[in-house]
Amino acid sequence: MISKSKDRKKPISPPKFLALGFSAIIIAGTFLLELPLSSADGTRTPLIDAFFTAVSAISVTGLVVVDTGTHWSTFGQIVLLILFQLGGLGFMTSATWIALMLNRRISLRERMILQEAMGQYQIQGIVDLIRKVLVYAFTIEGIGAMLLAFRFWREMPFDEALYLGIFQSVSIFNNAGFDLLGSIHGPFAGFPVYGTDPYLNIVNIALIFLGGIGFIVMFDIMEYPKCRKLSLHSKVVLSMTGALIVIGAVMLFLLEFNHSAAMGHLSLPQKIMASIFQSITSRSGGISTIDIESLQQSSQFFLIMLMFIGAAPGSTGGGIKVTTFAILIGAVIAMIKGKRDVVLFRNRISQAVVYRSVTLTVLALIVLVGFSMFLAATEDSQFLAILFEAVSAFGTCGLSMGLTTDLSEIGKITVAILMFLGRLGPLTLAYALNRRGHKELYRHPEGRIIIG
């Protein structure tokens, strides 16, 4: 009886705490967005639409069932801004910042939760890391807001341009994918209307890139002039991110060069710029400068692969992460060469990390296959569009082939669950649902299975 009572008093594990925390914020966001005060016409937004939008915002995805610029009032838009700011930085990061502002001590348990939220291996220095995260995030968002505001000032009064700049800067840096351009150029207009604007393209690319590489990498880059050294994590993230951007841009450029519906009508510099932008944003940015639905099927499928890989750990992006992909490639190369260890930049990767990478990827594939099959049964659309939408939701990317606005109610709930799983991570969710494991006291005899 005593042991049972002790088990009941065990604290909630960090993964479970994060899952419950995000769920609580989604409920609060749904309640606020459903209020008549949140809609532009003063009517109550349907519960399912409010729920879907809240999940999309907190998971920093950007898939929408109603146009952000025309459907939501200023109050509703501010609620969305707060949600994807919390989702991008993490609600525990924001709560820690408030606690630090109030000179409150951060407990060991809270540090453990922060460690899980930031994907760190050690708890030491986690509070200092949070301080740097907030300073860097708000600085980058502030600079981005001013740069965007000066561009939008050409089309509207400065106060409106500043508001639009702040909203878009926070949204794009957090890889949220929400935009208010529907209020200027018509519902669901998005950034394709600025597809040939070099200034906006460069600013948005910089915001997406900085939000996608992760704060740890940013800190390493800032410290590089002093120590002349990058961590293994930063080397892997930067090299893999650079490779994916180049490969993605080249592939899209070649596939869409003469395709008039997408990029065929653009000049050569504009085609290069559009290819680079789509390559970067497809790994979690959520905004596009061309109509994704107009791309060829080969390009759309290629974007699906990029969305599945996603951004870097500890960033505002989703997907299985570029480091996981790098480890998988390293494992394949090691197996082909007959080597025992996975080696990246002359560093051996532990077997536990390799197993974790394989587990994460397999779980992600299982989730996507299952949910895509379910959506294929509930939605009347081509399977490629369904798969694209499912991967976009799970990778918290936000790119769409136009299916989201036509989803049935069961389809909206399904995609919302995918966005939640993608933001939390399938491995974290598995840990949250699993009971605390016990150390095995024995090992089974080794068996042999023929594969290949």
Side-chain angles (χ1 to χ4, degrees):
M1 294 296 290
I2 296 176
S3 61
K4 288 184 179 180
S5 62
K6 285 184 178 180
D7 288 340
R8 291 174 185 170
K9 293 181 180 179
K10 282 183 179 179
I12 300 175
S13 64
K16 189 174 293 186
F17 184 88
L18 291 174
L20 293 174
F22 273 114
S23 300
I25 296 175
I26 288 171
I27 293 172
T30 301
F31 171 76
L32 290 174
L33 292 175
E34 193 191 13
L35 296 174
L37 179 64
S38 294
S39 65
D41 58 5
T43 60
R44 188 175 291 274
T45 301
L47 178 62
I48 186 65
D49 291 345
F51 170 73
F52 186 97
T53 306
V55 176
S56 183
I58 197 65
S59 65
V60 288
T61 302
L63 292 175
V64 293
V65 291
V66 294
D67 180 64
T68 309
T70 55
H71 178 83
W72 303 108
S73 65
T74 302
F75 175 80
Q77 292 167 3
I78 292 174
V79 170
L80 288 175
L81 189 148
I82 293 172
L83 286 175
F84 53 67
Q85 181 73 87
L86 287 174
L89 297 179
F91 73 92
M92 275 304 299
T93 302
S94 305
T96 302
W97 176 69
I98 295 173
L100 292 173
M101 292 288 290
L102 298 174
N103 291 322
R104 179 178 169 274
R105 183 178 175 276
I106 309 301
S107 67
L108 176 62
R109 171 164 175 71
E110 290 168 337
R111 292 169 192 261
M112 291 174 62
I113 296 172
L114 285 169
Q115 178 190 3
E116 176 72 25
M118 297 299 294
Q120 296 299 293
Y121 286 109
Q122 59 183 14
I123 200 171
Q124 184 179 1
I126 192 68
V127 176
D128 289 335
L129 174 63
I130 297 303
R131 289 194 181 98
K132 291 179 181 179
V133 165
L134 293 166
V135 170
Y136 282 7
F138 292 149
T139 300
I140 293 170
E141 289 173 352
I143 294 172
M146 293 307 299
L147 292 174
L148 292 174
F150 281 124
R151 170 59 184 84
F152 292 132
W153 195 9
R154 301 179 191 175
E155 305 175 23
M156 61 193 74
F158 184 73
D159 58 338
E160 295 180 17
L162 181 60
Y163 172 72
L164 181 58
I166 292 172
F167 187 95
Q168 295 306 152
S169 179
V170 176
S171 174
I172 296 170
F173 174 73
N174 287 289
N175 286 195
F178 285 82
D179 70 79
L180 301 179
L181 301 179
S183 61
I184 305 171
H185 303 287
F188 302 103
F191 278 91
V193 292
Y194 298 106
T196 58
D197 188 321
Y199 180 87
L200 268 182
N201 274 261
I202 292 172
V203 173
N204 288 340
I205 284 174
L207 287 171
I208 295 170
F209 177 79
L210 292 174
I213 60 174
F215 295 106
I216 305 300
V217 178
M218 278 196 283
F219 301 151
D220 272 3
I221 293 174
M222 296 291 289
E223 294 295 323
Y224 183 77
K226 298 179 183 178
C227 61
R228 294 289 175 179
K229 185 179 179 181
L230 288 176
S231 66
L232 174 62
H233 172 81
S234 296
K235 289 178 182 178
V236 173
V237 168
L238 291 173
S239 60
M240 186 55 65
T241 298
L244 288 172
I245 290 173
V246 172
I247 293 172
V250 171
M251 286 294 294
L252 290 171
F253 180 81
L254 295 175
L255 291 170
E256 298 295 331
F257 187 83
N258 290 319
H259 188 212
S260 58
M263 299 194 307
H265 63 286
L266 300 176
S267 65
L268 181 60
Q270 290 172 348
K271 288 178 181 177
I272 295 173
M273 183 171 63
S275 299
I276 294 173
F277 193 98
Q278 265 54 240
S279 177
I280 292 177
T281 194
S282 61
R283 288 185 306 102
S284 213
I287 60 173
S288 61
T289 56
I290 57 177
D291 182 15
I292 300 298
E293 197 173 358
S294 68
L295 293 174
Q296 298 191 84
Q297 290 188 354
S298 55
S299 299
Q300 293 167 346
F301 188 77
F302 185 73
L303 290 180
I304 288 174
M305 292 188 289
L306 292 179
M307 291 190 296
F308 180 74
I309 296 171
S315 72
T316 57
I320 64 170
K321 309 300 191 223
V322 292
T323 48
T324 303
F325 186 62
I327 291 171
L328 292 176
I329 292 177
V332 172
I333 293 174
M335 181 62 67
I336 292 174
K337 291 184 175 181
K339 294 183 178 180
R340 182 178 179 181
D341 298 322
V342 177
V343 178
L344 299 176
F345 291 96
R346 297 182 179 180
N347 284 265
R348 177 173 55 86
I349 307 301
S350 72
Q351 197 175 51
V353 174
V354 177
Y355 281 157
R356 185 182 177 99
S357 300
V358 173
T359 303
L360 173 60
T361 304
V362 171
L363 283 175
L365 288 172
I366 291 173
V367 168
L368 283 173
V369 168
F371 276 76
S372 297
M373 289 177 63
F374 184 79
L375 285 171
T378 62
E379 308 305 312
D380 183 18
S381 182
Q382 294 183 348
F383 185 73
L384 183 61
I386 290 172
L387 181 62
F388 191 99
E389 223 78 3
V391 177
S392 179
F394 181 79
T396 67
C397 178
L399 297 181
S400 175
M401 287 177 59
L403 176 63
T404 301
T405 53
D406 297 327
L407 287 172
S408 62
E409 290 196 357
I410 188 65
K412 291 176 183 178
I413 295 173
T414 304
V415 173
I417 294 172
L418 264 176
M419 291 189 289
F420 179 78
L421 291 175
R423 181 64 183 94
L424 196 62
L427 205 56
T428 301
L429 186 67
Y431 289 156
L433 297 176
N434 191 23
R435 292 184 177 181
R436 197 168 300 177
H438 299 283
K439 186 176 180 181
E440 291 184 353
L441 302 178
Y442 60 91
R443 297 181 71 187
H444 293 280
E446 184 176 298
R448 293 185 180 181
I449 299 178
I450 300 173
I451 63 172

